[in-house]
Amino acid sequence: MQGIQGEVFFVTGGAQGVGFAVAQAIGTAGGAVAIADISEAGVQAAVERLAQQGIRARGDVLDVRDGVATRDVVARIEQDLGPLAGLVPCAGITRTRPAESMDEDAWRDVLDINVTGTFYSCQAAGRVMLERERGVIVTIASITSFGGQPGRVNYAASKWAVAGMTKSLAVEWGGRGIRVNAVGPNAVDTPMLRKGVPERFVDDIMCDRTPLGRVARAEEIASVVLFLLSDSASYINGAVIPVDGGLTAGFLTHRQGRDYASTALEHARA
């Protein structure tokens, strides 16, 4: 894919889930990929899996809340793999609590990792790419960047912030050769989803209210990220693209949108 082949990309949160799927997609398209994650065992396993597929990869243990450490990782990537062409900051967490009883740690951890960590990653990668006036960043927003969810006020605040950050960086850096966009996934079938959301809720609520009737596969999110990283998206800048199976296309939906929710329409259908 043009703009990927032979280039170097940095993916945070790359040990599993969407992050690993993005790293794999980049490597399959001919790019070299550096992943970072807070789990040392996860990083090692992910790099081994990528290498087994013939993908040029390296890994670092990184807490994205540490701006200095993030800049150091970017420097090592450029030393070992070459000039950085793109960044996908996938590191993120969720801590579900009722708003009235949400403790300080649940609020702070989500905002620190999802917002501050994303900014530090963009800042560190942006600095080196701006020197060459060439590069691309794709952040990970959410359907929750377009609305709210009960029990996830911290997560919603963080993902609205990521969307705003994406647009601000696109405006600030677009004229200096750096495109910045975001994808906004619906629920994705990852360990974080299966660990944090009851299966009944996934089936009865998430899938029921999504027109395509299912959650996304990580590879489906990665394919849109790969497109945005490539030269095929060369005039897309500042966009937050829903990748949500149609969830945000409507409202008051039920049974994948087949409920007419109107007496007149229900009679017409009969």
Side-chain angles (χ1 to χ4, degrees):
M1 180 176 285
Q2 191 172 5
I4 305 295
Q5 181 78 35
E7 300 285 7
V8 177
F9 297 88
F10 179 29
V11 181
T12 70
Q16 63 177 352
V18 171
F20 181 79
V22 168
Q24 192 172 43
I26 290 169
T28 301
V33 62
I35 65 168
D37 205 287
I38 201 164
S39 167
E40 182 175 4
V43 168
Q44 292 176 347
V47 171
E48 288 175 5
R49 287 176 63 190
L50 293 170
Q52 288 170 1
Q53 298 172 45
I55 295 170
R56 187 181 175 211
R58 60 157 287 141
D60 287 276
V61 177
L62 174 66
D63 184 337
V64 294
R65 295 170 291 186
D66 187 334
V68 174
T70 302
R71 291 195 295 272
D72 289 344
V73 167
V74 168
R76 290 197 294 272
I77 292 169
E78 294 217 312
Q79 182 177 6
D80 292 350
L81 295 180
L84 191 64
L87 165 74
V88 187
C90 289
I93 63 168
T94 184
R95 298 281 187 272
T96 304
R97 303 281 192 283
E100 68 272 19
S101 58
M102 182 172 290
D103 58 70
E104 292 182 3
D105 287 343
W107 175 265
R108 185 184 302 111
D109 287 349
V110 170
L111 272 292
D112 284 353
I113 292 173
N114 294 8
V115 182
T116 303
T118 295
F119 174 69
Y120 285 160
S121 299
C122 290
Q123 184 184 57
R127 284 176 173 174
V128 298
M129 293 190 294
L130 284 166
E131 292 176 358
R132 296 182 287 270
E133 297 186 337
R134 178 177 177 270
V136 59
I137 297 171
V138 181
T139 65
I140 307 299
S142 169
I143 55 166
T144 319
S145 299
F146 305 99
Q149 287 184 315
R152 304 184 84 194
V153 64
N154 50 357
Y155 187 78
S158 76
K159 291 303 183 178
W160 276 82
V162 168
M165 184 190 313
T166 298
K167 291 179 179 293
S168 295
L169 293 177
V171 171
E172 186 170 345
W173 290 350
R176 301 165 67 187
I178 311 297
R179 292 189 298 108
V180 187
N181 294 292
V183 295
N186 191 354
V188 184
D189 193 359
T190 64
M192 187 169 76
L193 175 72
R194 295 301 176 180
K195 178 180 178 181
V197 180
E199 185 174 352
R200 179 184 59 80
F201 186 87
V202 173
D203 294 337
D204 294 348
I205 303 298
M206 291 179 171
C207 294
D208 175 78
R209 297 179 185 181
T210 300
L212 290 187
R214 61 178 177 83
V215 298
R217 301 187 304 275
E219 293 77 13
E220 292 176 305
I221 309 304
S223 66
V224 181
V225 172
L226 190 69
F227 164 71
L228 290 171
L229 290 173
S230 76
D231 289 347
S232 296
S234 59
Y235 200 61
I236 301 177
N237 187 43
V240 181
I241 298 176
V243 188
D244 64 0
L247 180 66
T248 58
F251 51 90
L252 298 177
T253 61
H254 180 47
R255 291 188 293 274
Q256 292 88 56
R258 292 193 296 275
D259 60 320
Y260 276 16
S262 164
T263 301
L265 288 173
E266 189 63 36
H267 288 166
R269 185 183 188 188

